[in-house]
Amino acid sequence: MSTWTLGPHPHMASSCIVLGVIGVSLGLTLRSLSRDNPLKEPCIKSPRKTLLPSLSKDETAALPYPPDILPGGRDVETPYGNIKVFEWGPEDGEKVLLMHGISVPCLALADLAQELVSKNYRVMLFDFFGRGYSDAPTDIPYDIRLYTTQILLVLASSNLQWTGNDAFHLIGYSLGGGIGVSFTQYFSHMVKSLVLVAGGGLIRHEHVSWKSRMLYSTTGLFPEWLLQYLVRQRLTPKEATTEEEMAGEVARPAEPPKRQKNSDASGGSSYDNALLTTTRGGPGVSVSSVLAWQLRNQQGFIPAFMSSIRHAPIYDRQNDWQALGQLLSERREPEGSTLPGLRGGRVLLVLGSTDPVIVQEELVHDATAVLGEDGFEAVLLDCGHEIVMTKAKEVADLAAGFWGA
């Protein structure tokens, strides 16, 4: 007859320990293999390869973000994957490079670019890796090294000269602003002037919620597939519930909203429902509709987004801004007038009064600390984080005036 005891058998305990060690070792091995597998694709293909070949001409034209919606489009093949670039305007006009934010492709800059072209500027804009129609590298962090490389690849892809001293003005929006500051500290001679529209880089880490800290952690406590699933759910736009919301005409609160703890997920309702471009009216080109299309069809978006949150110049990059401040200060000295780039020794900050992501009071305070009072000019517009879309004409006028001065 068998006898059962309630306490752990010594052999059973040792077996459990051995199995546990084996399980942990196997998990680490599989994790290492999945990360270092030489057969793993070096990049995730964009909808250019995964979606467009299956669509008719009419179906392609009906997309929220058709690949030919802007003039001068080209696909640039690079060792990091394909990059979608648009370039148009007078060939002899002053050049302007525009860089978009973290979640929506360069379509967000379409109206601003067109306004600049109407002022006889030559513009270039492109989709960051993992957004829109650009591929997503899988074996490199989305830090300033990758974004700097992408910028240089984009500049080199033009038939015109986009490098050298005072080669172009740079406008960076949101994430593009943080990247613009970091890029300029290394290539200040190329950047004739720097305009930051609701620019990132100095967002205070104290605003990052515990949920965000968990979702974008790199501790390895949570499997990446689970974190990606949760981030996808977090970014999926909510359905608009009224005709006004569908048209992007959401009423703005009378008082500026408090800083959002989950601003990585949304720039607020006025941002989510803003129209990306007036070249195609209606809800088909709202921020939320393009973001939803991207979530469905750009398989590299979530990995690119998460890696950018973790590694890109978004939060507390005082060192980058201090380096920029030193470059600006040198150009304000009498002998600095002969130095190429950053003409006038100042940058232009264009901010939204109700922006819940880039809080104007905080940014002006922190920019003063790192750039100095003479290192920048700040202009406040009556809008939120959707500033580059809803105030495109005003931003273009401000930028052109800044350059002219």
Side-chain angles (χ1 to χ4, degrees):
M1 184 176 72
S2 300
T3 302
W4 295 88
T5 59
L6 296 177
H9 193 280
H11 294 299
M12 182 180 296
S14 60
S15 298
C16 290
I17 294 174
V18 172
L19 288 174
V21 171
I22 293 175
V24 171
S25 300
L26 181 60
L28 292 174
T29 301
L30 291 174
R31 180 181 175 189
S32 176
L33 288 174
S34 64
R35 183 177 65 243
D36 303 324
N37 184 2
L39 299 179
K40 185 179 180 180
E41 288 293 328
C43 71
I44 301 173
K45 297 301 181 183
S46 77
R48 170 175 170 261
K49 289 290 183 69
T50 62
L51 175 66
L52 296 184
S54 65
L55 300 181
S56 67
K57 184 177 180 180
D58 290 342
E59 289 172 329
T60 299
L63 292 173
Y65 178 19
D68 59 351
I69 190 171
L70 300 177
R74 62 177 178 265
D75 293 296
V76 181
E77 292 292 345
T78 79
Y80 297 86
N82 180 78
I83 304 173
K84 187 66 179 182
V85 181
F86 298 96
E87 179 185 354
W88 77 100
E91 291 191 1
D92 60 348
E94 289 192 52
K95 299 177 179 68
V96 184
L97 179 69
L98 301 98
M99 299 194 298
H100 64 82
I102 191 171
S103 58
V104 180
C106 70
L107 185 62
L109 302 168
D111 285 359
L112 174 57
Q114 192 57 56
E115 290 287 345
L116 293 170
V117 169
S118 71
K119 299 178 184 293
N120 296 316
Y121 289 96
R122 177 82 173 179
V123 300
M124 186 189 296
L125 48 161
F126 62 98
D127 288 338
F128 283 141
F129 286 126
R131 284 75 156 192
Y133 290 103
S134 290
D135 294 341
T138 59
D139 54 355
I140 185 171
Y142 282 62
D143 57 15
I144 190 57
R145 296 170 298 176
L146 177 63
Y147 284 114
T148 295
T149 300
Q150 185 177 19
I151 293 169
L152 295 176
L153 290 169
V154 167
L155 297 176
S157 72
S158 177
N159 292 328
L160 302 181
Q161 183 69 31
W162 279 79
T163 56
N165 292 343
D166 295 313
F168 58 87
H169 303 284
L170 196 160
I171 297 180
Y173 166 61
S174 198
L175 169 65
I179 292 172
V181 170
S182 298
F183 175 85
T184 302
Q185 73 166 304
Y186 297 106
F187 299 95
S188 58
H189 68 286
M190 292 169 54
V191 181
K192 191 172 184 178
S193 74
L194 181 60
V195 177
L196 306 176
V197 184
L202 290 182
I203 299 177
R204 298 177 182 179
H205 231 107
E206 66 193 53
H207 294 306
V208 182
S209 68
W210 68 267
K211 289 183 180 179
S212 293
R213 294 178 189 274
M214 178 194 73
L215 288 174
Y216 305 111
S217 67
T218 57
T219 60
L221 292 177
F222 305 98
E224 189 69 8
W225 65 263
L226 176 59
L227 296 177
Q228 289 188 10
Y229 170 80
L230 294 174
V231 170
R232 178 178 293 276
Q233 297 300 113
R234 185 180 177 86
L235 293 179
T236 299
K238 295 179 180 179
E239 294 293 333
T241 56
T242 69
E243 292 183 3
E244 288 77 13
E245 286 177 333
M246 290 294 289
E249 314 247 337
V250 177
R252 181 171 48 80
E255 295 297 326
K258 294 182 179 180
R259 183 67 164 77
Q260 288 186 342
K261 283 288 186 180
N262 63 337
S263 58
D264 59 284
S266 170
S269 59
S270 61
Y271 171 82
D272 294 340
N273 295 287
L275 296 184
L276 284 164
T277 174
T278 57
T279 59
R280 294 175 59 196
V285 287
S286 67
V287 169
S288 58
S289 64
V290 171
L291 180 57
W293 170 83
Q294 191 169 238
L295 285 165
R296 289 192 303 269
N297 298 290
Q298 171 55 284
Q299 298 305 309
F301 170 60
I302 292 297
F305 180 93
M306 294 178 64
S307 187
S308 296
I309 290 286
R310 291 164 173 165
H311 303 293
I314 299 175
Y315 301 102
D316 292 330
R317 297 301 288 255
Q318 275 78 7
N319 289 342
D320 290 355
W321 285 64
Q322 286 173 348
L324 174 64
Q326 180 60 38
L327 294 168
L328 294 170
S329 177
E330 293 171 358
R331 283 156 174 79
R332 292 195 301 273
E333 297 295 329
E335 62 275 14
S337 61
T338 61
L339 295 174
L342 297 175
R343 295 297 180 178
R346 292 188 305 164
V347 299
L348 175 62
L349 308 180
V350 185
L351 306 169
S353 60
T354 60
D355 190 339
V357 180
I358 306 298
V359 180
Q360 56 97 4
E361 295 93 342
E362 293 182 356
L363 182 58
V364 170
H365 176 275
D366 295 344
T368 302
V370 290
L371 300 181
E373 291 184 355
D374 298 328
F376 69 95
E377 175 184 339
V379 179
L380 195 64
L381 298 181
D382 185 20
C383 59
H385 200 61
E386 68 282 357
I387 180 171
V388 79
M389 295 161 273
T390 60
K391 300 291 183 179
K393 186 179 187 306
E394 291 88 339
V395 173
D397 289 342
L398 288 169
F402 181 70
W403 299 329

